[in-house]
Short mmCIF file of all heavy atoms in Angstrom, two decimals:
data_model
loop_
_atom_site.label_atom_id
_atom_site.label_comp_id
_atom_site.label_asym_id
_atom_site.label_seq_id
_atom_site.Cartn_x
_atom_site.Cartn_y
_atom_site.Cartn_z
N ALA A 123 -42.55 -8.33 63.10
CA ALA A 123 -42.62 -9.06 64.34
C ALA A 123 -43.15 -10.47 64.14
O ALA A 123 -42.93 -11.33 64.97
CB ALA A 123 -43.48 -8.31 65.34
N VAL A 124 -43.82 -10.71 63.03
CA VAL A 124 -44.41 -12.02 62.80
C VAL A 124 -43.40 -13.01 62.20
O VAL A 124 -43.56 -14.22 62.34
CB VAL A 124 -45.68 -11.90 61.92
CG1 VAL A 124 -45.32 -11.60 60.48
CG2 VAL A 124 -46.50 -13.15 62.01
N VAL A 125 -42.35 -12.52 61.58
CA VAL A 125 -41.39 -13.38 60.89
C VAL A 125 -40.79 -14.45 61.80
O VAL A 125 -40.77 -15.63 61.43
CB VAL A 125 -40.29 -12.55 60.19
CG1 VAL A 125 -39.21 -13.43 59.62
CG2 VAL A 125 -40.89 -11.68 59.11
N PRO A 126 -40.30 -14.13 63.00
CA PRO A 126 -39.72 -15.18 63.83
C PRO A 126 -40.74 -16.18 64.37
O PRO A 126 -40.37 -17.26 64.81
CB PRO A 126 -39.08 -14.43 65.00
CG PRO A 126 -39.25 -13.00 64.75
CD PRO A 126 -40.14 -12.81 63.58
N VAL A 127 -42.02 -15.84 64.34
CA VAL A 127 -43.05 -16.72 64.89
C VAL A 127 -43.55 -17.73 63.86
O VAL A 127 -43.96 -18.83 64.22
CB VAL A 127 -44.23 -15.87 65.44
CG1 VAL A 127 -45.34 -16.73 65.96
CG2 VAL A 127 -43.72 -14.92 66.51
N ILE A 128 -43.50 -17.38 62.59
CA ILE A 128 -44.04 -18.22 61.53
C ILE A 128 -43.54 -19.67 61.58
O ILE A 128 -44.35 -20.59 61.47
CB ILE A 128 -43.78 -17.59 60.14
CG1 ILE A 128 -44.60 -16.31 59.99
CG2 ILE A 128 -44.12 -18.57 59.02
CD1 ILE A 128 -44.25 -15.51 58.75
N PRO A 129 -42.24 -19.92 61.75
CA PRO A 129 -41.79 -21.33 61.77
C PRO A 129 -42.43 -22.16 62.88
O PRO A 129 -42.62 -23.36 62.72
CB PRO A 129 -40.28 -21.21 61.99
CG PRO A 129 -39.92 -19.87 61.49
CD PRO A 129 -41.10 -19.01 61.80
N TYR A 130 -42.78 -21.53 64.00
CA TYR A 130 -43.36 -22.27 65.11
C TYR A 130 -44.80 -22.70 64.84
O TYR A 130 -45.33 -23.56 65.54
CB TYR A 130 -43.28 -21.45 66.40
CG TYR A 130 -41.86 -21.32 66.88
CD1 TYR A 130 -41.09 -20.21 66.56
CD2 TYR A 130 -41.27 -22.34 67.62
CE1 TYR A 130 -39.77 -20.11 66.97
CE2 TYR A 130 -39.96 -22.25 68.05
CZ TYR A 130 -39.21 -21.13 67.72
OH TYR A 130 -37.91 -21.04 68.12
N VAL A 131 -45.41 -22.13 63.81
CA VAL A 131 -46.75 -22.56 63.41
C VAL A 131 -46.66 -23.92 62.70
O VAL A 131 -47.55 -24.76 62.83
CB VAL A 131 -47.41 -21.51 62.49
CG1 VAL A 131 -48.73 -22.01 61.93
CG2 VAL A 131 -47.59 -20.20 63.22
N PHE A 132 -45.56 -24.14 61.98
CA PHE A 132 -45.42 -25.34 61.16
C PHE A 132 -44.40 -26.35 61.70
O PHE A 132 -44.44 -27.52 61.34
CB PHE A 132 -44.99 -24.94 59.74
CG PHE A 132 -45.94 -23.98 59.10
CD1 PHE A 132 -45.61 -22.63 58.98
CD2 PHE A 132 -47.18 -24.39 58.63
CE1 PHE A 132 -46.49 -21.74 58.39
CE2 PHE A 132 -48.06 -23.51 58.05
CZ PHE A 132 -47.72 -22.17 57.93
N LEU A 133 -43.48 -25.91 62.55
CA LEU A 133 -42.40 -26.75 63.03
C LEU A 133 -42.30 -26.69 64.55
O LEU A 133 -42.96 -25.87 65.18
CB LEU A 133 -41.07 -26.29 62.42
CG LEU A 133 -41.01 -26.19 60.89
CD1 LEU A 133 -39.78 -25.42 60.46
CD2 LEU A 133 -41.04 -27.56 60.27
N THR A 134 -41.44 -27.54 65.10
CA THR A 134 -41.23 -27.52 66.55
C THR A 134 -39.74 -27.67 66.86
O THR A 134 -38.95 -28.04 66.00
CB THR A 134 -41.98 -28.67 67.25
OG1 THR A 134 -41.51 -29.91 66.72
CG2 THR A 134 -43.47 -28.57 67.07
N GLY A 135 -39.39 -27.37 68.09
CA GLY A 135 -38.05 -27.62 68.60
C GLY A 135 -36.94 -26.86 67.90
O GLY A 135 -37.11 -25.71 67.46
N THR A 136 -35.80 -27.52 67.80
CA THR A 136 -34.60 -26.91 67.24
C THR A 136 -34.78 -26.51 65.79
O THR A 136 -34.27 -25.48 65.35
CB THR A 136 -33.40 -27.87 67.38
OG1 THR A 136 -33.26 -28.23 68.75
CG2 THR A 136 -32.12 -27.23 66.91
N THR A 137 -35.53 -27.32 65.04
CA THR A 137 -35.77 -26.99 63.63
C THR A 137 -36.47 -25.66 63.50
O THR A 137 -36.09 -24.81 62.69
CB THR A 137 -36.60 -28.10 62.95
OG1 THR A 137 -35.94 -29.36 63.13
CG2 THR A 137 -36.79 -27.82 61.49
N ALA A 138 -37.51 -25.46 64.30
CA ALA A 138 -38.24 -24.19 64.28
C ALA A 138 -37.33 -23.03 64.67
O ALA A 138 -37.40 -21.95 64.06
CB ALA A 138 -39.45 -24.25 65.20
N LEU A 139 -36.48 -23.24 65.66
CA LEU A 139 -35.57 -22.19 66.11
C LEU A 139 -34.60 -21.79 65.00
O LEU A 139 -34.41 -20.60 64.72
CB LEU A 139 -34.80 -22.64 67.34
CG LEU A 139 -33.73 -21.67 67.86
CD1 LEU A 139 -34.37 -20.37 68.32
CD2 LEU A 139 -32.93 -22.32 68.97
N VAL A 140 -33.99 -22.77 64.35
CA VAL A 140 -33.03 -22.48 63.28
C VAL A 140 -33.71 -21.78 62.12
O VAL A 140 -33.20 -20.79 61.58
CB VAL A 140 -32.32 -23.78 62.82
CG1 VAL A 140 -31.50 -23.54 61.56
CG2 VAL A 140 -31.46 -24.34 63.93
N VAL A 141 -34.88 -22.26 61.71
CA VAL A 141 -35.61 -21.62 60.61
C VAL A 141 -36.01 -20.20 61.00
O VAL A 141 -35.91 -19.27 60.18
CB VAL A 141 -36.84 -22.47 60.21
CG1 VAL A 141 -37.71 -21.73 59.21
CG2 VAL A 141 -36.40 -23.81 59.64
N ALA A 142 -36.42 -19.98 62.24
CA ALA A 142 -36.79 -18.64 62.70
C ALA A 142 -35.59 -17.69 62.65
O ALA A 142 -35.71 -16.54 62.21
CB ALA A 142 -37.34 -18.70 64.12
N ILE A 143 -34.42 -18.17 63.06
CA ILE A 143 -33.22 -17.34 63.02
C ILE A 143 -32.85 -16.98 61.59
O ILE A 143 -32.56 -15.82 61.29
CB ILE A 143 -32.05 -18.05 63.74
CG1 ILE A 143 -32.31 -18.11 65.25
CG2 ILE A 143 -30.72 -17.35 63.45
CD1 ILE A 143 -31.37 -19.01 66.01
N VAL A 144 -32.90 -17.96 60.70
CA VAL A 144 -32.54 -17.71 59.30
C VAL A 144 -33.53 -16.75 58.65
O VAL A 144 -33.13 -15.79 57.98
CB VAL A 144 -32.45 -19.04 58.52
CG1 VAL A 144 -32.33 -18.80 57.03
CG2 VAL A 144 -31.29 -19.88 59.02
N LEU A 145 -34.83 -16.99 58.84
CA LEU A 145 -35.83 -16.10 58.25
C LEU A 145 -35.74 -14.68 58.79
O LEU A 145 -35.88 -13.70 58.05
CB LEU A 145 -37.24 -16.65 58.49
CG LEU A 145 -37.64 -17.89 57.69
CD1 LEU A 145 -39.05 -18.32 58.07
CD2 LEU A 145 -37.54 -17.64 56.19
N THR A 146 -35.48 -14.56 60.08
CA THR A 146 -35.34 -13.25 60.69
C THR A 146 -34.11 -12.52 60.15
O THR A 146 -34.17 -11.32 59.84
CB THR A 146 -35.27 -13.37 62.22
OG1 THR A 146 -36.46 -14.02 62.68
CG2 THR A 146 -35.13 -12.01 62.87
N ALA A 147 -33.00 -13.24 60.01
CA ALA A 147 -31.79 -12.63 59.45
C ALA A 147 -32.04 -12.15 58.02
O ALA A 147 -31.65 -11.03 57.65
CB ALA A 147 -30.63 -13.63 59.48
N ILE A 148 -32.72 -12.96 57.23
CA ILE A 148 -33.03 -12.56 55.84
C ILE A 148 -33.92 -11.32 55.84
O ILE A 148 -33.68 -10.38 55.07
CB ILE A 148 -33.70 -13.73 55.09
CG1 ILE A 148 -32.68 -14.85 54.85
CG2 ILE A 148 -34.31 -13.25 53.77
CD1 ILE A 148 -33.29 -16.14 54.35
N ALA A 149 -34.94 -11.31 56.70
CA ALA A 149 -35.84 -10.15 56.77
C ALA A 149 -35.08 -8.89 57.19
O ALA A 149 -35.29 -7.81 56.60
CB ALA A 149 -36.98 -10.43 57.75
N LEU A 150 -34.20 -9.01 58.17
CA LEU A 150 -33.42 -7.85 58.61
C LEU A 150 -32.50 -7.34 57.50
O LEU A 150 -32.38 -6.12 57.30
CB LEU A 150 -32.59 -8.20 59.85
CG LEU A 150 -33.38 -8.37 61.14
CD1 LEU A 150 -32.51 -9.02 62.22
CD2 LEU A 150 -33.94 -7.05 61.62
N ILE A 151 -31.88 -8.25 56.78
CA ILE A 151 -31.00 -7.86 55.68
C ILE A 151 -31.80 -7.17 54.57
O ILE A 151 -31.36 -6.15 54.02
CB ILE A 151 -30.23 -9.08 55.15
CG1 ILE A 151 -29.20 -9.53 56.19
CG2 ILE A 151 -29.57 -8.79 53.81
CD1 ILE A 151 -28.58 -10.88 55.92
N LEU A 152 -32.97 -7.71 54.25
CA LEU A 152 -33.80 -7.09 53.20
C LEU A 152 -34.28 -5.70 53.61
O LEU A 152 -34.26 -4.76 52.80
CB LEU A 152 -35.00 -7.99 52.88
CG LEU A 152 -34.68 -9.27 52.13
CD1 LEU A 152 -35.93 -10.15 52.02
CD2 LEU A 152 -34.11 -8.97 50.75
N VAL A 153 -34.70 -5.55 54.86
CA VAL A 153 -35.14 -4.24 55.34
C VAL A 153 -33.97 -3.26 55.33
O VAL A 153 -34.11 -2.12 54.86
CB VAL A 153 -35.78 -4.34 56.74
CG1 VAL A 153 -35.97 -2.96 57.35
CG2 VAL A 153 -37.09 -5.09 56.67
N GLY A 154 -32.83 -3.69 55.84
CA GLY A 154 -31.65 -2.81 55.85
C GLY A 154 -31.22 -2.42 54.45
O GLY A 154 -30.88 -1.26 54.19
N GLY A 155 -31.24 -3.38 53.53
CA GLY A 155 -30.87 -3.09 52.15
C GLY A 155 -31.82 -2.12 51.49
O GLY A 155 -31.40 -1.22 50.74
N THR A 156 -33.10 -2.28 51.77
CA THR A 156 -34.10 -1.37 51.21
C THR A 156 -33.91 0.05 51.74
O THR A 156 -33.94 1.03 50.98
CB THR A 156 -35.52 -1.87 51.53
OG1 THR A 156 -35.68 -3.18 51.00
CG2 THR A 156 -36.58 -0.95 50.96
N VAL A 157 -33.69 0.16 53.03
CA VAL A 157 -33.45 1.48 53.63
C VAL A 157 -32.19 2.10 53.04
O VAL A 157 -32.16 3.28 52.70
CB VAL A 157 -33.34 1.37 55.17
CG1 VAL A 157 -32.83 2.67 55.77
CG2 VAL A 157 -34.68 0.99 55.77
N GLY A 158 -31.14 1.31 52.89
CA GLY A 158 -29.90 1.81 52.31
C GLY A 158 -30.07 2.29 50.89
O GLY A 158 -29.54 3.32 50.50
N ARG A 159 -30.81 1.52 50.13
CA ARG A 159 -31.04 1.91 48.72
C ARG A 159 -31.87 3.18 48.61
O ARG A 159 -31.57 4.07 47.82
CB ARG A 159 -31.73 0.77 47.98
CG ARG A 159 -31.90 1.01 46.51
CD ARG A 159 -32.28 -0.28 45.81
NE ARG A 159 -32.51 -0.08 44.41
CZ ARG A 159 -31.57 -0.17 43.48
NH1 ARG A 159 -30.33 -0.44 43.83
NH2 ARG A 159 -31.86 0.02 42.21
N LEU A 160 -32.91 3.27 49.42
CA LEU A 160 -33.78 4.45 49.36
C LEU A 160 -33.12 5.70 49.93
O LEU A 160 -33.41 6.81 49.48
CB LEU A 160 -35.09 4.16 50.10
CG LEU A 160 -35.99 3.10 49.48
CD1 LEU A 160 -37.20 2.83 50.38
CD2 LEU A 160 -36.45 3.50 48.08
N SER A 161 -32.26 5.52 50.92
CA SER A 161 -31.64 6.68 51.55
C SER A 161 -30.31 7.07 50.92
O SER A 161 -29.77 8.14 51.21
CB SER A 161 -31.41 6.41 53.04
OG SER A 161 -30.41 5.42 53.22
N GLY A 162 -29.76 6.18 50.09
CA GLY A 162 -28.48 6.45 49.47
C GLY A 162 -27.29 6.16 50.38
O GLY A 162 -26.16 6.50 50.07
N ALA A 163 -27.55 5.51 51.51
CA ALA A 163 -26.48 5.22 52.47
C ALA A 163 -25.66 3.99 52.09
O ALA A 163 -24.63 3.74 52.69
CB ALA A 163 -27.08 5.03 53.86
N GLY A 164 -26.12 3.22 51.14
CA GLY A 164 -25.41 2.01 50.73
C GLY A 164 -26.14 0.77 51.21
O GLY A 164 -26.48 0.67 52.39
N VAL A 165 -26.36 -0.15 50.28
CA VAL A 165 -27.13 -1.35 50.59
C VAL A 165 -26.40 -2.24 51.58
O VAL A 165 -26.98 -2.70 52.57
CB VAL A 165 -27.45 -2.12 49.29
CG1 VAL A 165 -28.11 -3.44 49.58
CG2 VAL A 165 -28.33 -1.27 48.38
N ILE A 166 -25.12 -2.51 51.33
CA ILE A 166 -24.36 -3.42 52.19
C ILE A 166 -24.23 -2.84 53.60
O ILE A 166 -24.48 -3.54 54.60
CB ILE A 166 -22.96 -3.70 51.60
CG1 ILE A 166 -23.07 -4.32 50.21
CG2 ILE A 166 -22.14 -4.57 52.53
CD1 ILE A 166 -23.66 -5.70 50.18
N LYS A 167 -23.83 -1.59 53.67
CA LYS A 167 -23.64 -0.95 54.97
C LYS A 167 -24.93 -0.97 55.79
O LYS A 167 -24.92 -1.33 56.97
CB LYS A 167 -23.17 0.50 54.77
CG LYS A 167 -22.99 1.28 56.05
CD LYS A 167 -22.59 2.71 55.77
CE LYS A 167 -22.54 3.53 57.04
NZ LYS A 167 -22.26 4.94 56.77
N SER A 168 -26.04 -0.61 55.18
CA SER A 168 -27.31 -0.58 55.89
C SER A 168 -27.79 -1.98 56.26
O SER A 168 -28.36 -2.18 57.33
CB SER A 168 -28.37 0.13 55.04
OG SER A 168 -28.06 1.49 54.91
N SER A 169 -27.55 -2.95 55.38
CA SER A 169 -27.94 -4.33 55.67
C SER A 169 -27.18 -4.87 56.86
O SER A 169 -27.75 -5.49 57.76
CB SER A 169 -27.69 -5.23 54.46
OG SER A 169 -28.52 -4.88 53.39
N VAL A 170 -25.88 -4.65 56.88
CA VAL A 170 -25.05 -5.13 58.00
C VAL A 170 -25.45 -4.43 59.29
O VAL A 170 -25.54 -5.06 60.35
CB VAL A 170 -23.55 -4.92 57.69
CG1 VAL A 170 -22.69 -5.17 58.92
CG2 VAL A 170 -23.12 -5.81 56.54
N ARG A 171 -25.71 -3.14 59.20
CA ARG A 171 -26.12 -2.38 60.38
C ARG A 171 -27.45 -2.91 60.94
O ARG A 171 -27.60 -3.14 62.14
CB ARG A 171 -26.25 -0.90 60.04
CG ARG A 171 -26.60 -0.06 61.23
CD ARG A 171 -26.57 1.43 60.89
NE ARG A 171 -27.63 2.06 61.63
CZ ARG A 171 -28.57 2.83 61.14
NH1 ARG A 171 -28.57 3.12 59.87
NH2 ARG A 171 -29.49 3.34 61.89
N GLN A 172 -28.41 -3.14 60.07
CA GLN A 172 -29.72 -3.63 60.50
C GLN A 172 -29.60 -5.03 61.12
O GLN A 172 -30.21 -5.31 62.15
CB GLN A 172 -30.68 -3.67 59.31
CG GLN A 172 -32.10 -4.01 59.66
CD GLN A 172 -32.82 -2.89 60.37
OE1 GLN A 172 -32.42 -1.73 60.30
NE2 GLN A 172 -33.89 -3.22 61.06
N LEU A 173 -28.82 -5.90 60.50
CA LEU A 173 -28.61 -7.23 61.03
C LEU A 173 -27.91 -7.17 62.39
O LEU A 173 -28.28 -7.90 63.32
CB LEU A 173 -27.79 -8.08 60.05
CG LEU A 173 -27.55 -9.54 60.45
CD1 LEU A 173 -28.86 -10.28 60.62
CD2 LEU A 173 -26.67 -10.21 59.40
N SER A 174 -26.95 -6.28 62.53
CA SER A 174 -26.23 -6.13 63.80
C SER A 174 -27.15 -5.64 64.91
O SER A 174 -27.12 -6.16 66.04
CB SER A 174 -25.06 -5.15 63.64
OG SER A 174 -24.16 -5.62 62.69
N VAL A 175 -27.97 -4.65 64.61
CA VAL A 175 -28.91 -4.12 65.61
C VAL A 175 -29.92 -5.20 66.00
O VAL A 175 -30.23 -5.37 67.19
CB VAL A 175 -29.61 -2.85 65.09
CG1 VAL A 175 -30.76 -2.44 65.99
CG2 VAL A 175 -28.62 -1.71 64.95
N GLY A 176 -30.42 -5.94 65.03
CA GLY A 176 -31.37 -7.02 65.32
C GLY A 176 -30.75 -8.11 66.17
O GLY A 176 -31.37 -8.61 67.11
N ALA A 177 -29.51 -8.49 65.85
CA ALA A 177 -28.82 -9.52 66.63
C ALA A 177 -28.54 -9.03 68.05
O ALA A 177 -28.69 -9.80 69.02
CB ALA A 177 -27.51 -9.90 65.93
N ALA A 178 -28.16 -7.77 68.18
CA ALA A 178 -27.91 -7.21 69.51
C ALA A 178 -29.20 -7.18 70.33
O ALA A 178 -29.19 -7.51 71.52
CB ALA A 178 -27.32 -5.81 69.40
N ALA A 179 -30.30 -6.82 69.71
CA ALA A 179 -31.59 -6.79 70.41
C ALA A 179 -31.98 -8.19 70.87
O ALA A 179 -32.47 -8.38 71.99
CB ALA A 179 -32.67 -6.20 69.51
N ALA A 180 -31.76 -9.18 70.02
CA ALA A 180 -32.07 -10.57 70.39
C ALA A 180 -31.18 -11.03 71.54
O ALA A 180 -31.66 -11.71 72.46
CB ALA A 180 -31.88 -11.48 69.18
N ALA A 181 -29.91 -10.65 71.51
CA ALA A 181 -28.99 -11.05 72.57
C ALA A 181 -29.38 -10.42 73.91
O ALA A 181 -29.38 -11.10 74.95
CB ALA A 181 -27.56 -10.64 72.20
N VAL A 182 -29.73 -9.15 73.89
CA VAL A 182 -30.16 -8.47 75.12
C VAL A 182 -31.43 -9.12 75.67
O VAL A 182 -31.55 -9.37 76.87
CB VAL A 182 -30.37 -6.96 74.87
CG1 VAL A 182 -31.09 -6.30 76.03
CG2 VAL A 182 -29.04 -6.28 74.61
N THR A 183 -32.36 -9.42 74.79
CA THR A 183 -33.61 -10.07 75.21
C THR A 183 -33.33 -11.43 75.83
O THR A 183 -33.90 -11.80 76.86
CB THR A 183 -34.56 -10.21 74.01
OG1 THR A 183 -34.81 -8.92 73.46
CG2 THR A 183 -35.87 -10.85 74.41
N PHE A 184 -32.43 -12.20 75.21
CA PHE A 184 -32.06 -13.51 75.73
C PHE A 184 -31.43 -13.40 77.11
O PHE A 184 -31.78 -14.14 78.03
CB PHE A 184 -31.10 -14.20 74.75
CG PHE A 184 -30.60 -15.53 75.24
CD1 PHE A 184 -31.40 -16.66 75.11
CD2 PHE A 184 -29.36 -15.65 75.83
CE1 PHE A 184 -30.95 -17.89 75.56
CE2 PHE A 184 -28.90 -16.88 76.28
CZ PHE A 184 -29.71 -18.00 76.14
N ILE A 185 -30.52 -12.45 77.26
CA ILE A 185 -29.83 -12.26 78.54
C ILE A 185 -30.81 -11.84 79.64
O ILE A 185 -30.76 -12.37 80.76
CB ILE A 185 -28.68 -11.23 78.40
CG1 ILE A 185 -27.56 -11.83 77.54
CG2 ILE A 185 -28.15 -10.80 79.75
CD1 ILE A 185 -26.52 -10.85 77.08
N ILE A 186 -31.71 -10.94 79.33
CA ILE A 186 -32.71 -10.52 80.31
C ILE A 186 -33.58 -11.71 80.70
O ILE A 186 -33.89 -11.91 81.88
CB ILE A 186 -33.57 -9.35 79.78
CG1 ILE A 186 -32.71 -8.09 79.70
CG2 ILE A 186 -34.80 -9.13 80.66
CD1 ILE A 186 -33.38 -6.92 79.00
N GLY A 187 -33.97 -12.51 79.72
CA GLY A 187 -34.76 -13.71 80.02
C GLY A 187 -34.02 -14.66 80.94
O GLY A 187 -34.60 -15.24 81.87
N LYS A 188 -32.72 -14.85 80.70
CA LYS A 188 -31.92 -15.72 81.56
C LYS A 188 -31.81 -15.14 82.98
O LYS A 188 -31.88 -15.88 83.96
CB LYS A 188 -30.51 -15.90 80.98
CG LYS A 188 -30.44 -16.86 79.84
CD LYS A 188 -30.70 -18.26 80.36
CE LYS A 188 -30.36 -19.28 79.30
NZ LYS A 188 -30.71 -20.63 79.72
N LEU A 189 -31.61 -13.83 83.08
CA LEU A 189 -31.49 -13.19 84.39
C LEU A 189 -32.78 -13.26 85.18
O LEU A 189 -32.78 -13.47 86.40
CB LEU A 189 -31.04 -11.74 84.24
CG LEU A 189 -29.62 -11.52 83.74
CD1 LEU A 189 -29.36 -10.04 83.48
CD2 LEU A 189 -28.60 -12.08 84.72
N VAL A 190 -33.89 -13.09 84.52
CA VAL A 190 -35.18 -13.11 85.17
C VAL A 190 -35.59 -14.56 85.48
O VAL A 190 -36.34 -14.82 86.40
CB VAL A 190 -36.26 -12.42 84.30
CG1 VAL A 190 -37.64 -12.58 84.86
CG2 VAL A 190 -35.92 -10.95 84.14
N GLY A 191 -35.07 -15.49 84.68
CA GLY A 191 -35.36 -16.89 84.92
C GLY A 191 -36.61 -17.39 84.22
O GLY A 191 -37.20 -18.36 84.65
N VAL A 192 -36.97 -16.74 83.15
CA VAL A 192 -38.14 -17.18 82.39
C VAL A 192 -37.74 -18.36 81.53
O VAL A 192 -36.74 -18.34 80.84
CB VAL A 192 -38.66 -16.02 81.49
CG1 VAL A 192 -39.79 -16.51 80.60
CG2 VAL A 192 -39.13 -14.87 82.35
N ASN A 193 -38.55 -19.43 81.58
CA ASN A 193 -38.27 -20.62 80.79
C ASN A 193 -39.57 -21.12 80.19
O ASN A 193 -40.48 -21.49 80.90
CB ASN A 193 -37.62 -21.69 81.66
CG ASN A 193 -37.17 -22.88 80.85
OD1 ASN A 193 -37.17 -22.84 79.63
ND2 ASN A 193 -36.79 -23.94 81.54
N LEU A 194 -39.62 -21.11 78.87
CA LEU A 194 -40.80 -21.64 78.18
C LEU A 194 -40.45 -23.01 77.61
O LEU A 194 -39.44 -23.17 76.96
CB LEU A 194 -41.23 -20.70 77.06
CG LEU A 194 -41.60 -19.28 77.47
CD1 LEU A 194 -41.89 -18.43 76.26
CD2 LEU A 194 -42.79 -19.31 78.40
N GLY A 195 -41.29 -23.95 77.82
CA GLY A 195 -41.07 -25.29 77.26
C GLY A 195 -40.67 -26.18 78.29
O GLY A 195 -40.23 -27.10 78.61
#
């Protein structure tokens, strides 16, 4: 949960957002790959699945935020 927040400690604005997205994607891929390797399900398959679930969760969170009208900044 701390990975997407780290860039905002050192950066601001769009740069922080892009770095947070990239770092989060890398973390999701690494976690998925590790799970795939340990479970025997396949590194690529598990990595793609983990990245997809993470992206879907981010999209749902974004949409709910838009619907509720929460705006930070």
Side-chain angles (χ1 to χ4, degrees):
V124 74
V125 173
V127 178
I128 292 171
Y130 290 95
V131 173
F132 303 104
L133 305 167
T134 59
T136 305
T137 305
L139 176 63
V140 171
V141 172
I143 291 169
V144 170
L145 288 179
T146 302
I148 291 169
L150 288 168
I151 290 168
L152 289 174
V153 168
T156 302
V157 169
R159 185 167 178 89
L160 294 175
S161 69
V165 173
I166 301 293
K167 178 183 174 185
S168 292
S169 294
V170 170
R171 183 174 144 232
Q172 187 73 20
L173 183 60
S174 299
V175 169
V182 167
T183 302
F184 177 80
I185 291 167
I186 290 172
K188 282 291 191 185
L189 291 173
V190 172
V192 174
N193 187 10
L194 300 176

